[in-house]
Amino acid sequence: MRVQTRVLIVVLLVLALTGASALSAQSSGALTIGLATEPVSLDPAKGLFIAEQWVLMNIYDTLTRVDQAGELHPGLATGWEVNDDATEFTFTLRSDVTFHDGTPFNAQAVKAYFDRIAEAGDPVAIATSVLSGYVEAEAVDDTTLVVRFADPKPIFLNDLSRPWMGIPSPAASGELDTNPVGSGPFVFEEWTPQDHITLTRNEAYAWGPEFAATSGAPLVETVTFRFLPEGATRLTALQSGEIDIAEEPPAFGVQSLLDTGMYKLETFPAPGMPSHMMINTEHSPTDDIRVRQAMIHAVDQEQLVQTAFAGLQSPAFNVLSPTTFGYSEEAANLYRYDPERAAALLDEAGWVDSDGDGIRDKDGQPLTIVYPALPAYEEAYMELLAAYLNQAGIAVDIQTMDDAGIFEFAAAGNHHIVNMGWTSSDPGVLSFVYHSSNIEGGSAFTRFVDPELDAALENAATELDEEARAALYEQAQMIIMENALAIPLYNYDRVMVMDARVEGWVFDPEGYPLLSQISLAE
Amino acid sequence: MNRYLVRRFFLSLLVLAGVSVLTFLILHLAPGDPVYAILGRQAASAESVQALRASLGLNDPLPVQYARFLENIVRGDLGTSIRTDRPVISMIAEQLPSTIQLTLASMAIATVVGLFIGLVSALNRGRWLDRVLTVAIIAGVSMPTFWLGILLILLFSVQLRWLPSAAPASDPRSLILPALTLGLAEAAVIARIVRASLIDVLDQPYLMVAHAKGLRPRRINWRHALPNAMIPIVSILGLQFGLLLSGSVVVEALFARPGLGRLTVTAINSRDFPLIQGIVLVIAIIYLLVNTLTDLLYAVINPRVRLT
């Protein structure tokens, strides 16, 4: 028997030692990034997801570019003219650009792409919404393009800088899903589903952003995106040197890594709508504005981000994040954590704890709100949020369900609070969730109807003057917060932890790094 | 034997038909509209919801959708993924080899380690070695694979830096830790059954006779006890194969390994109906095949089964 015991030990050791060579050190020219999710398609016309943005922005170039401060810069278009009602855009295009397959870039290529988006009319794709109201594009000559719309498009030039509007090679349009061809800083190499995507440096690249340190070929030779769905795995892969950058690390694993001095953190407050709870104004008890106001005062966002996210996300106090165009400081200052104020408001609304059970009641009915939650997204804070409301004497009925279940539940108006948030470089997304036309079948889960709010959102979408546009969005935020339609929670700060060797980090306006600027120190 | 085969075949077909009906119904009866899941958590306008539903054929009555589903299966067409717009059959074909590889590797580890520990434990019944191994077995059975996986990563990838935690599939070393994680957990289950089965056999009167005849213990153990103890183990191995397939869901995500398990999670999260149905169907077929094989093998090593 003793022999067999020894054999067992040897077997286990051999199993553990197989392939026990040291992990090979990465050459400095290869950058590896661990992503939480995988792209679905690399055709920009179909793009929708975060993971796609990472890849698309490196393969394709856009007609315009926006720097981190939100300033518009030339891209593949060196200049443009816009008519007075912003329905006709005349672009002057670069003549020195070639796609990765050798096809020259010209006005016909842009027209072909725009026509394809408009024809496909994919209801989900972001490109479709950017081109809404598209009438035609006219290639006057190789370097002159005119684009016409039926309605004013005040944010078209900004929208053109988004990765979904990257121009693909017209010679490759059939198979872009899995074999994308653009003119960007990196050339698509391969995609092994559920494993990785590899890009290689475009040696001929010379038309990068003018506001970046280098507008020429990227500093690293290859970029590999690895798909690591588990946060814990992204951190251990970073520690073992298998990846250089980990996206969205688990908040509570990051600090110990940073303490070693071998890693660093980059964060960017994403523009758009922060994570917030939309409050249903249709049903009792949240049809009473005092109850809604009390709920906002009951939540301590500063503490919440510390407890739930180890401080890696910043507290939100408004329905737009501070980096969004038209952000209203005034609206953000309307509410702060104030339990006394919350109690006074609830007393005033007639909700008092008459039976001493800690939950307020009125006419024999306890003050209870229904909260459909998706643990996969909301686990970090949902119990905490409920606890804050509990402290104010509000009982919270958390009903966990899946994503589609929540959407249906809330679309039917069965909720009192439901989570919402949307990263976007433009405040126009407010319309999707606060315009009353989206109550039935859409996402206007507050079910709040106010002609003034609707008008502000509609006018903002077509207003040509930047200042007037900002003012309209500020007005919309004030109406939303004054009517206490939302409990802001935290901003979606993009968080990335990386090897200290990663240099030259610059975020684009939506919170993605410009990979062409990055190098790896020895 | 032939009649046994024919009967097994028709039973399998029946099970498959049941699987297809159930998959189809469960998905459609679950709360939530697939359109919302596709559009995502993020806001969708009422208009885009309607347009998408119509374009996916989700407005047709359920029986019509099911008939279309069956018709396509018979033609070997598992449909097109809603999420990626690619044929389901090729998405599965792409991922299947990786999962089969993982399953077979873990099965090999589970069988070798499990048999070994079970044997050592049973033959040392009641002694300290048996007690130590029993504790190890209980720990192995109770420890979630997710946790075991993280411990192995921390030891072999982060501390010792011997093995990659999430290497690309092209790196052969990427198989080792996932296979160990799944294999060791299953080894514990097999060890427990081997131990119990062998102890059972060792108590049989015919072994007492063998001892009385003066046979050497080694010959008794290997020639008389073990073959009889193997009978329940063979059927357990078939079942384990199914468990390993499902275990791949957790392990593939943890080690960022391509495979059917990870594809399943993605498909379920995005309510990609055709893909979920396709995966369930393919896994059901594999499971049926393996268990039919196990049953046949069982008949070979245990003559008593052939009579029925």
Side-chain angles (χ1 to χ4, degrees), chain A residues 282-303:
Chain A
E282 206 169 65
H283 297 305
S284 173
T286 49
D287 56 346
D288 186 332
I289 185 170
R290 292 167 297 191
V291 173
R292 299 200 298 271
Q293 288 170 333
M295 285 161 70
I296 306 177
H297 281 302
V299 177
D300 185 353
Q301 288 94 336
E302 304 270 5
Q303 193 60 51

Side-chain angles (χ1 to χ4, degrees), chain A residues 446-511:
Chain A
T446 57
R447 307 184 78 81
F448 181 74
V449 185
D450 179 52
E452 217 182 323
L453 176 59
D454 287 353
L457 292 171
E458 281 163 32
N459 295 336
T462 53
E463 176 57 56
L464 304 178
D465 182 70
E466 291 270 293
E467 266 176 47
R469 216 172 145 253
L472 285 166
Y473 279 122
E474 283 164 24
Q475 186 197 351
Q477 291 163 68
M478 281 304 287
I479 296 173
I480 291 167
M481 292 313 294
E482 274 174 348
N483 285 286
L485 305 184
I487 310 173
L489 297 178
Y490 61 93
N491 296 309
Y492 291 120
D493 295 351
R494 289 193 54 76
V495 179
M496 289 176 221
V497 57
M498 63 199 70
D499 199 292
R501 296 185 306 138
V502 174
E503 290 178 351
W505 189 274
V506 192
F507 278 110
D508 81 343
E510 294 193 41

Side-chain angles (χ1 to χ4, degrees), chain B residues 44-63:
Chain B
S45 70
E47 201 184 325
S48 57
V49 169
Q50 275 314 317
L52 187 65
R53 181 173 296 132
S55 75
L56 294 175
L58 292 169
N59 287 330
D60 292 336
L62 279 190

